[in-house]
Amino acid sequence: MLQLLHIENIAVIERADIELESGLTVMSGETGAGKSIVIDAIGAVLGRRVSRDLVRAGAQRGFVSAVFTALSPALRALLDELQLSGEEPDTLHIQRQITADSKSASRVNMKPVSAAVLRQLAPYLIDIHGQNDGQKLLDEQHHIDYLDGYAENSALLQAYRRKYQALITLRREITALETGEQERLQRVDMLTFHREEIEQARLTAGEDETLARRKAYFDHAGRVAVALEQARLALGGDDETGGACELLDRAADAIAELREISDAFDALAEQAEEIRCLAADLRGSVAGQSDTLDFSPAERELVEQRLDEIYRLKQKYGGTIEEILAYQQRITTELNGLQHTDDRREALREQYRAQLAEAKALAAKLTAARRAAAARLEAAIVRELSELDMEKVKMRIAVHTGSKLTAYGFDTVTFEISVNPGEPEKPLSKVASGGELSRIMLALKNVLTAGEDVGMLIFDEIDTGVSGHAAQQIGKKLSAIARKKQTLCVTHLPQIAAMGDHHLLISKSVQGDRSYTDVRPMDHARRVDELARLLSGEQISDAARQNAEELLAAASRGCGNGHHP
């Protein structure tokens, strides 16, 4: 239960300490006095989203702390699991600070935690039923959640949803494979061509560098060979033309004949013979150099063709032979995957069929559990409503089972009601008035929370659209609920306010140019005045006070639990 709530600089509340006790506590006050601010402050310690608007104007930060006692075993186990237990095992301290720039800091038993941790603890602490819950009840999409909560289907629903999500994932994979078939075939063709082109080239690492060196050699060797060939022809001639050596032979022979005529030609003949010998030696040297050349025009052409082929592959598949070979390996791996897509698709389909069968089995269990729980919940709500001045009501919780799986299985659920004898049950949104809806919500909350570990229930203006005897019956029901769980009710109706074991007054005053909200418990006299105000407005008459006294006396005689101050 919530024992103490401390509020600082939250909206119009500068500072408030609210002590709460077991039983039913009612909270009343004029419109705009700040009742909703107290509920918002409680929501903050439960981890609800907060905004900078919650911080009091002019303040740097707002602060809310709460002390809970009489903790449930489930909550104590969770605190132990989260390593958040305090020195007092049956007491829980929660603080939350909100700054003007929307940042917040939270602590549990003086240990820093996130708002998510507070939300994890919240279901064991307080269940707040606000004005929006009535609209939620009109939305049929939420009806299945109410029924699953009553049927305690949480574990079964989680198991089913794991299967359902697995089905969605498998279906997406299968669809992607099926819709991408044309693109897959086109890519297989392209990659196959690339792989074959690279394989046919039979590349080896470093081959281009070896070929480049060979080409460079050929570039120089060709020039040498041409020059040597020209020198050989000039010296030795060919079949048609005599070379320089032949001419020098003829010249030397002619001069040698002159020596027979006169010794004066000896020197000239010797010179001619020397030149002829030098030419012959030169011709031999040229021939020797030509024989040692490693040059083949055919090989040079092959080298150049191979380098051109490698260059073209580099332009398409990578800057080096190593990159081309790496690309070949990658596309080979991808091709293996693409060419086995049919096998992959069939394997996925087999997985899908198996998962679908398991999901359908779990969905069938959910349907059976919902149908069994629906009958019990119908009876429980009708029983509660009969105690809320709706004795003639008929309730039907319809479980509609289809053939298509959704996140909830095969089912949709609608709450249908008949409030007038002889009328068939119809959806809540078409039948229930505001007052009836409030009572249905109260009945549903009472049924759903009966077995929960939550320590406190808060009803924020549950009296919308009701008055008179119906309001008194709601007050009685709240009082009955409060005997099982600590209950706080924000109300505008005197019939409900009179049923409280404790009564808090929320009042607002203006001092200077600032508004201040005060929260304080009331003694009997002040409570009579507040009930009289609720009965007659600001002008409180003696008759209104007398009526207020009668309401409190009636509550003490047995309509409530007899613990009024």
Side-chain angles (χ1 to χ4, degrees), residues 232-250:
R232 184 190 67 77
L233 289 172
L235 291 169
D238 54 20
D239 294 339
E240 298 178 358
T241 305
C245 287
E246 181 181 348
L247 294 174
L248 287 171
D249 285 343
R250 290 164 59 187

Side-chain angles (χ1 to χ4, degrees), residues 37-53:
I37 302 303
V38 176
I39 304 302
D40 289 342
I42 294 174
V45 297
L46 298 180
R48 292 190 174 185
R49 186 182 300 275
V50 295
S51 70
R52 68 181 67 186
D53 296 334

Side-chain angles (χ1 to χ4, degrees), residues 389-402:
D389 209 25
M390 295 178 69
E391 298 89 350
K392 305 298 183 181
V393 70
K394 289 191 296 181
M395 184 84 181
R396 182 173 71 174
I397 298 177
V399 179
H400 310 282
T401 303

Side-chain angles (χ1 to χ4, degrees), residues 399-433:
V399 179
H400 310 282
T401 303
S403 58
K404 183 179 179 180
L405 290 177
T406 70
Y408 287 91
F410 288 123
D411 306 326
T412 57
V413 173
T414 56
F415 286 10
E416 299 173 357
I417 193 170
S418 171
V419 295
N420 297 309
E423 292 293 324
E425 295 92 343
K426 294 181 180 179
L428 284 176
S429 58
K430 297 181 179 180
V431 177
S433 66

Side-chain angles (χ1 to χ4, degrees), residues 430-495:
K430 297 181 179 180
V431 177
S433 66
E436 290 164 343
L437 195 62
S438 294
R439 282 176 279 176
I440 294 169
M441 194 69 233
L442 178 58
L444 185 59
K445 278 287 182 179
N446 190 28
V447 172
L448 294 181
T449 59
E452 294 181 355
D453 288 318
V454 65
M456 181 184 192
L457 300 177
I458 295 179
F459 295 95
D460 186 7
E461 300 190 11
I462 190 68
D463 51 21
T464 301
V466 298
S467 59
H469 187 259
Q472 189 175 22
Q473 295 302 102
I474 288 177
K476 289 181 179 180
K477 178 56 63 179
L478 289 170
S479 183
I481 292 172
R483 286 197 290 271
K484 296 178 289 184
K485 295 183 186 291
Q486 183 188 28
T487 303
L488 173 65
C489 178
V490 178
T491 185
H492 292 286
L493 295 182
Q495 295 93 331

Side-chain angles (χ1 to χ4, degrees), residues 57-134:
Q60 294 297 314
R61 60 184 59 84
F63 181 78
V64 183
S65 67
V67 178
F68 296 88
T69 57
L71 309 183
S72 69
L75 176 56
R76 291 170 65 172
L78 179 59
L79 291 171
D80 287 341
E81 179 184 338
L82 297 175
Q83 298 182 348
L84 293 174
S85 299
E87 294 181 359
E88 303 173 77
D90 203 32
T91 301
L92 172 63
H93 298 264
I94 297 179
Q95 297 89 33
R96 191 170 185 191
Q97 179 177 276
I98 308 106
T99 62
D101 58 359
S102 297
K103 295 180 180 178
S104 71
S106 307
R107 291 180 180 273
V108 171
N109 287 331
M110 304 307 296
K111 298 175 183 178
V113 297
S114 65
V117 172
L118 298 185
R119 290 192 291 272
Q120 194 174 351
L121 300 177
Y124 301 93
L125 298 173
I126 299 175
D127 182 7
I128 300 178
H129 166 54
Q131 299 176 53
N132 292 332
D133 287 342

